[in-house]
Amino acid sequence: MTAELVRGQNHTLPQTRLEIRVSAGSPVVAGATLGDERGTVHGAEWIVHPGSPQLPGLEVSRQAAADHRLAVDLDALPDAVHRVTVLLALPLGTGRPVTFGSVAAPFVAVTGLDGTEIATFTLTGLEAESAVTALELYRRQGAWKVRAVGQGYAAGLAEMLADQGVARAAELAASIQEAVASGLARSVTPPPPRTPDGERVRHPSRPAPAAGGGQPPVPPATGDRYPAPGSDPLGEPSPAPAADPTPGGPINYAHPRRQTSAPPPPPPSAPPAAPGQPAQPVAGDATGWSMDERLYNQIWGMFEDLARAVAAYRSAVDFAESRMDQELDRTLSDPRSRIGGAGDRAREAARAKRDELTTRAREALDRDLAQLAAESAVVEPALPAAYAGWDNPVWHGYRVPMEIPMALRIGDLHLPERADLRIPLLVRLPLERGIWIDSGRTASEASAPTDGDQLRRLGMETAVALAARLLAVYPADEFSVHVIDPAGSAAAALAPLTGSGVLAGPPAAGAGGVASVLAHLTRRVDLVQMAIRAGAADSLPPDLDTGEQLLIVNDFPHGFDDRAVTQLRYLADEGPAVGVHLLMVADREDARAYGPVLDPLWRSLLRITPVADDHLADPWVGHAWTYEPLRAPQGSRVVEQVLALVAAARGAGYR
């Protein structure tokens, strides 16, 4: 029976391999400190946090998230550790909650590996606090117990660490928040949550569709992949994972819906599954108002499935290695094993057990990968233009749409366990953050043979391809593109946009051109913000273009003075909420003279690369995914043909 704890109450833990699950109403930072018999934390090396997420017997998330799973193996903790304190803190950042009183009360559960809840605690009564000690796991007379704490700290993470005796707590808290900010910057934004009636939560500054337009929301079926509402990143409560087949084995990261929910009934066109075999995959096998939304949710389901399947495999391999090391340590510590062949036999047995566990884990992963590959093979041909690659035949029948789609594909993601299994990277529309195409050299293999000039050219070509996709998926005259090219170095890459006449004006060059475009877009942001705050949208000047605006900036910061840099930062922060978006091609090294002044700018943008690079993280387990940009097939003119149709629908436009 689950113990529902209140502050100060404790409960005996029946096992030592545990999960601590955290659910909060908004992203929180999760960490833990290790203390001795007196609760003293002996320095930063006794603390796990996103910047240092692993210690023996303890692992936490690498980024802030609304849901966390902390892995705990009490037997693997150092002998000097008698207390594990679980900490929660709000991440810093513009527009983020600053106190726990402004968000839903966090819920913490201590569970076994099979997901069975042992003890739970809801942290109610928090108000001005921005950091809180949630739970303590402590050892008393050889037995481990859990205590509900709920001690909040208004001065935040630094005060909480100082209260536990950590030296230089303020510096450590700042480094933790720095690691969290970096993690949030590289994390792919998960899909929006859903309201109880199944409707997507929309941006507060954007009007919802007019009533009566389109179908009413359809409540999700119980067996569908994404019922609503819920607490995980896709809006569904996460059921407990299936029990691990190996007692004391690694944490099971398997997608909970695969094991606890029956698949939705296949459409009539799908062949029935053979007995004992998985159902045949079909396109649109998810909930949604329309086929586009069903495909969107299905792609995100595949993304999560692949992330969790690989996490389960990597966890199993790590566990097998750790178990082998522990058995070898025990063998070598026994003097009797050094006599005769006992030691060699023990080592062989430990390695054989390791190989057996690793093989079983790989077999399970291969089954999941085969299922996902079959699903991908069905889904890709069914994708609409906004979700499809340039090589998809759907572009040959392209027509300018009457309304914007839910999302846009901006590239593909894959993991090394199966590089040919590509997951479309979809970003929601309207864009909620700008995009930075990093034209600098990275550590990736694809970047190594490419010189700086080539990377800058590829970066601008990637920006043009993304702008073309955005123009193609918006209705005519509802999306405008502006270009800042201070030195005119991107003329060749910009040819598809300039030649088709789809730009709002000629590319701005020189300091005067930079200042003019930035002033124009800054004025638009100011006016729309004032109109929204005053509730007077009809009072906007008649010459103001209320459609979405995209600003492409090449070769930043060349041609930018301090005022222009400040305006650009303003557009990056305030623009997306009122329909002004930034697409910047830049090498961060070129802007190093600005120092930390530009750090908030880089963090506010989604970083992608013009060549393959493993820098993006998923929002569930934080894998490093390799991103690859979308490119038209060699010799194809599909981009130019699509832009010609867009220009024709817009009329004369700029030429």
Side-chain angles (χ1 to χ4, degrees):
M1 180 179 295
T2 303
E4 298 182 1
L5 305 180
V6 297
R7 278 184 176 84
Q9 188 177 1
N10 60 38
H11 183 73
T12 301
L13 294 172
Q15 58 201 77
T16 56
R17 285 185 59 81
L18 307 164
E19 267 193 349
I20 298 176
R21 302 185 180 186
V22 179
S23 297
S26 64
V28 297
V29 182
T33 60
L34 305 180
D36 60 15
E37 290 181 333
R38 299 182 178 181
T40 303
V41 180
H42 294 276
E45 65 274 11
W46 280 41
I47 303 174
V48 284
H49 54 80
S52 178
Q54 288 182 316
L55 284 176
L58 191 58
E59 182 175 0
V60 302
S61 303
R62 289 172 169 79
Q63 58 198 47
D67 298 278
H68 291 272
R69 292 188 182 186
L70 284 65
V72 182
D73 184 352
L74 298 173
D75 287 338
L77 294 173
D79 293 337
V81 173
H82 288 257
R83 183 179 301 178
V84 178
T85 304
V86 178
L87 315 174
L88 303 178
L90 294 172
L92 302 178
T94 304
R96 298 190 180 279
V98 295
T99 66
F100 276 106
S102 61
V103 300
F107 173 81
V108 184
V110 180
T111 76
L113 295 183
D114 61 355
T116 302
E117 290 184 347
I118 299 169
T120 64
F121 177 41
T122 302
L123 285 76
T124 57
L126 298 175
E127 295 182 2
E129 298 87 347
S130 59
V132 61
T133 299
L135 296 174
E136 285 181 349
L137 310 181
Y138 63 98
R139 181 158 43 190
R140 182 70 53 83
Q141 297 178 347
W144 283 93
K145 297 183 178 182
V146 57
R147 176 187 292 120
V149 181
Q151 173 65 50
Y153 296 86
L157 192 56
E159 181 186 11
M160 180 166 57
L161 294 174
D163 191 45
Q164 297 192 36
V166 179
R168 305 172 71 176
E171 293 181 19
L172 178 58
S175 69
I176 293 173
Q177 291 287 5
E178 175 75 17
V180 170
S182 298
L184 289 171
R186 64 188 287 267
S187 178
V188 177
T189 305
R194 293 173 179 271
T195 61
D197 63 358
E199 183 177 359
R200 296 189 306 280
V201 174
R202 301 180 185 275
H203 197 288
S205 69
R206 300 190 187 283
Q215 296 177 328
V218 179
T222 303
D224 278 357
R225 189 179 245 164
Y226 299 107
S231 60
D232 73 353
L234 294 179
E236 176 185 356
S238 299
D244 193 311
T246 306
I251 292 173
N252 189 346
Y253 286 92
H255 192 307
R257 285 176 287 276
R258 281 202 185 278
Q259 303 185 27
T260 60
S261 298
S269 59
Q277 298 295 320
Q280 295 295 316
V282 292
D285 186 9
T287 59
W289 296 358
S290 64
M291 187 61 173
D292 285 4
E293 186 171 358
R294 292 171 68 88
L295 287 167
Y296 172 83
N297 287 335
Q298 185 173 15
I299 289 170
W300 271 91
M302 294 164 59
F303 189 8
E304 184 179 3
D305 284 350
L306 182 54
R308 294 189 183 277
V310 171
Y313 168 70
R314 293 179 181 177
S315 174
V317 171
D318 290 344
F319 170 74
E321 294 286 346
S322 174
R323 179 171 176 171
M324 182 186 71
D325 291 342
Q326 291 176 7
E327 292 179 355
L328 291 177
D329 288 342
R330 286 196 297 267
T331 299
L332 295 175
S333 65
D334 185 354
R336 293 171 297 179
S337 67
R338 303 170 190 168
I339 303 173
D344 292 337
R345 289 192 295 273
R347 280 189 286 270
E348 290 177 3
R351 293 189 181 104
K353 185 62 175 177
R354 184 271 316 272
D355 293 342
E356 178 189 356
L357 292 175
T358 302
T359 300
R360 287 166 52 191
R362 185 70 211 195
E363 290 172 350
L365 175 64
D366 287 342
R367 287 194 298 269
D368 285 341
L369 293 179
Q371 182 178 352
L372 286 167
E375 190 170 7
S376 177
V378 172
V379 169
E380 278 286 352
L383 295 179
Y387 304 172
W390 288 116
D391 57 348
N392 193 306
V394 71
W395 287 105
H396 297 301
Y398 168 77
R399 295 292 182 272
V400 176
M402 300 297 292
E403 59 182 18
I404 68 170
M406 280 188 62
L408 179 74
R409 184 175 185 169
I410 64 169
D412 291 332
L413 299 172
H414 62 84
L415 292 172
E417 280 75 7
R418 182 159 178 178
D420 64 329
L421 179 54
R422 306 299 176 92
I423 301 296
L425 174 55
L426 302 180
V427 295
R428 296 196 299 274
L429 295 180
L431 295 172
E432 296 180 349
R433 62 193 291 199
I435 297 175
W436 163 33
I437 300 174
D438 188 354
S439 59
R441 188 174 300 282
T442 66
S444 69
E445 294 181 3
S447 175
T450 311
D451 63 31
D453 290 339
Q454 286 179 302
L455 285 172
R456 284 188 285 273
R457 176 180 56 79
L458 290 172
M460 201 59 195
E461 289 176 356
T462 302
V464 169
L466 285 178
R469 294 180 71 84
L470 284 163
L471 286 163
V473 301
Y474 269 81
D477 300 323
E478 289 190 18
F479 194 87
S480 298
V481 178
H482 309 261
V483 176
I484 289 179
D485 184 21
S489 59
L494 288 168
L497 297 178
T498 55
S500 60
V502 294
L503 293 180
V514 172
S516 175
V517 172
L518 291 177
H520 169 73
L521 293 177
T522 301
R523 171 179 176 268
R524 184 195 180 282
V525 171
D526 290 340
L527 291 174
V528 175
Q529 281 186 337
M530 288 188 291
I532 290 174
R533 290 168 185 159
D538 55 352
S539 64
L540 289 169
D543 64 334
L544 188 76
D545 182 2
T546 57
E548 302 283 317
Q549 312 285 312
L550 177 71
L551 173 60
I552 302 176
V553 177
N554 180 45
D555 215 14
F556 176 82
H558 300 300
F560 281 72
D561 56 18
D562 289 346
R563 175 179 172 80
V565 169
T566 301
Q567 289 177 313
L568 192 70
R569 287 184 53 187
Y570 176 72
L571 293 178
D573 291 338
E574 304 294 334
V578 291
V580 176
H581 313 286
L582 183 60
L583 178 55
M584 191 165 71
V585 180
D587 179 357
R588 190 167 183 172
E589 280 299 305
D590 292 341
R592 63 183 179 276
Y594 286 93
V597 172
L598 288 181
D599 285 352
L601 173 64
W602 305 119
R603 290 174 185 159
S604 68
L605 305 174
L606 173 64
R607 175 178 173 254
I608 61 176
T609 51
V611 295
D613 188 69
D614 58 345
H615 65 279
L616 288 177
D618 64 80
W620 302 284
V621 294
H623 292 314
W625 293 72
T626 297
Y627 166 84
E628 291 197 17
L630 297 175
R631 300 197 185 282
Q634 189 71 26
S636 171
R637 294 189 55 81
V638 62
V639 175
E640 290 81 357
Q641 292 167 358
V642 167
L643 288 176
L645 292 172
V646 171
R650 291 171 175 239
Y654 151 74
R655 289 189 182 276

